[in-house]
Amino acid sequence: MKAITLLGSTGSIGTQTLDIVAQYPDQFRIVGLTAGRNVTLLAQQIRQFRPEIVAVCDEDKLLELKDAIAELDPQPILLAGESGVVEVAQYGDAQAVVTGIVGCAGLLPTIAAIKAGKDIALANKETLIAGGPVVNPLIEKYGVKILPADSEHSAIFQCLQGVMVGGLRRIILTASGGSFRDLPIDKLAGVTVADALKHPNWSMGQKITIDSATLMNKGLEVIEAHYLFGMDYDDIDIVIHPQSIIHSLIELQDTSVLAQLGWPDMRLPLLYALSWPERIHTDWERLDLVKAGDLTFREPDHEKYPCMQLAYAAGRAGGSMPAVLNAANEQAVALFLQEKIQFLDIPKLIEKACDKHQVDNCESPALDDILAADRWARQEVLADSMELGDRILSVR
Ligand code: NAD
Ligand code: MG
């Protein structure tokens, strides 16, 4: 029986993780849960999984939650705010913490979990992208494992089992191409939030669905792969694979290429992150190659999707630059979701922030430098977006 804590339990990753726990009650037990604002769902989860400790985003939601589970006996420890989430992350005898929080909000709780000796089942890629220079040394210092739950990185990790150190030559990340895969470049200017949220293959939270539409998600995954597997940026490639059946590939020194295949279903990488190094038998739909049909591949279009190259550049610059890229992206995506900027403004705002940060890029940032770079980039994007707002209004 493995004890796990789940951060972001009401989201896409969170609910799929709990599906797994419900399906394998002999294998997994929930110690702690955290969520943002969806108290109704969180209360149901508490009744079903009986965690020892729970945190919500703020005091108002905490009052709502106390009301919603008043009849429960025994009561879990109930906390609020960022400090509450950090407390849950480091609490008790959980062996692994699944990070299903979205954005850099996952950084401090993840660090707390590592310092408490817990393995990390990493879905929250923003944490490693912004905090890689701080998180990686901590993983080594505290002797914990970081088990990738992002489907591409899980695929790479699965292929790497049994490959000796030094055997890996290149990583090939597959990308579905996102919502606008088949839309001509000159039509991108007018796309709406609703258009961008229609992902062809995966059902995910809003932020990552927009990241998939801009292909920033793949750019972020390049940086994630760099920090997870220690590969040079020159040896991490992207290929568009519209069917999302091959979840990524590795090339070995002798040119042999290994791939991991499966239906697009996040439960599989999540289960492997929780069961590693073992394999748990499931009754999930098995892959049928004939039914999957043609598997096709094409080169990514960097003119249509500049975010990938912005991410490569930020990754190569290193230091606090990936934190700036990530925070600028989070802020720009939030503004797009609020319909305050247009789709094509997203890469422009990110590029501007990264350009400005070049002079201040901190080569070996400490946690405070990363948090400061994150705050600075968000403010920059907000300020720059005001100018765009004026432009949009004057055009109307
Ligand atoms: P989501 O929006 O569906 O869920 C996010 C969860 O985090 C919710 O429970 C929300 O309440 C909570 N949350 C959000 N902001 C918070 C804050 N400031 N403090 C505390 N809790 C907060 O997102 P998701 O799609 O599940 O994605 C979660 C993470 O997993 C992201 O980093 C994403 O990139 C990564 N990921 C997701 C998928 C997927 O299939 N959804 C695949 C690969 C990677
Ligand atoms: Mg992914």
Side-chain angles (χ1 to χ4, degrees), residues 8 10-13 36 100-102 105 123-126 150 204-205 208 266:
T10 54
S12 162
I13 289 292
I101 282 191
V102 56
N124 177 230
K125 64 192 88 183
E126 295 91 342
D150 207 352
M204 309 180 286
I208 185 173
M266 278 307 292

Side-chain angles (χ1 to χ4, degrees), residues 91-140:
Y91 179 85
D93 67 349
Q95 282 164 264
V97 173
V98 181
T99 61
I101 282 191
V102 56
C104 202
L107 180 57
L108 295 179
T110 304
I111 288 178
I114 295 169
K115 288 185 172 171
K118 301 180 189 309
D119 292 336
I120 304 296
L122 186 92
N124 177 230
K125 64 192 88 183
E126 295 91 342
T127 283
L128 196 61
I129 289 152
V134 171
V135 171
N136 269 350
L138 286 177
I139 286 166
E140 213 153 286

Side-chain angles (χ1 to χ4, degrees), residues 7-14 16 34-38 56-57 85 99-103 105 122-126 149-152 202-208 211 217 221 266:
L7 310 179
S9 67
T10 54
S12 162
I13 289 292
Q16 293 183 85
T34 80
R37 316 198 65 81
N38 189 346
V56 278
C57 67
V85 178
T99 61
I101 282 191
V102 56
L122 186 92
N124 177 230
K125 64 192 88 183
E126 295 91 342
D150 207 352
S151 59
E152 297 76 3
W202 298 93
S203 159
M204 309 180 286
Q206 290 198 335
K207 191 257 175 185
I208 185 173
D211 285 348
N217 184 48
E221 289 181 354
M266 278 307 292

Side-chain angles (χ1 to χ4, degrees), residues 289-342:
L289 284 173
V290 176
K291 192 169 157 197
D294 291 342
L295 303 183
T296 59
F297 307 92
R298 56 180 193 243
E299 269 201 71
D301 181 343
H302 292 289
E303 197 195 336
K304 185 173 169 190
Y305 297 111
C307 283
M308 282 176 289
Q309 295 211 322
L310 292 176
Y312 270 105
R316 287 192 168 104
S320 50
M321 191 63 87
V324 165
L325 173 96
N326 177 66
N329 180 56
E330 282 189 33
Q331 188 62 68
V333 170
L335 289 167
F336 174 68
L337 284 168
Q338 295 159 22
E339 299 185 329
K340 290 191 173 145
I341 61 167
Q342 295 174 352

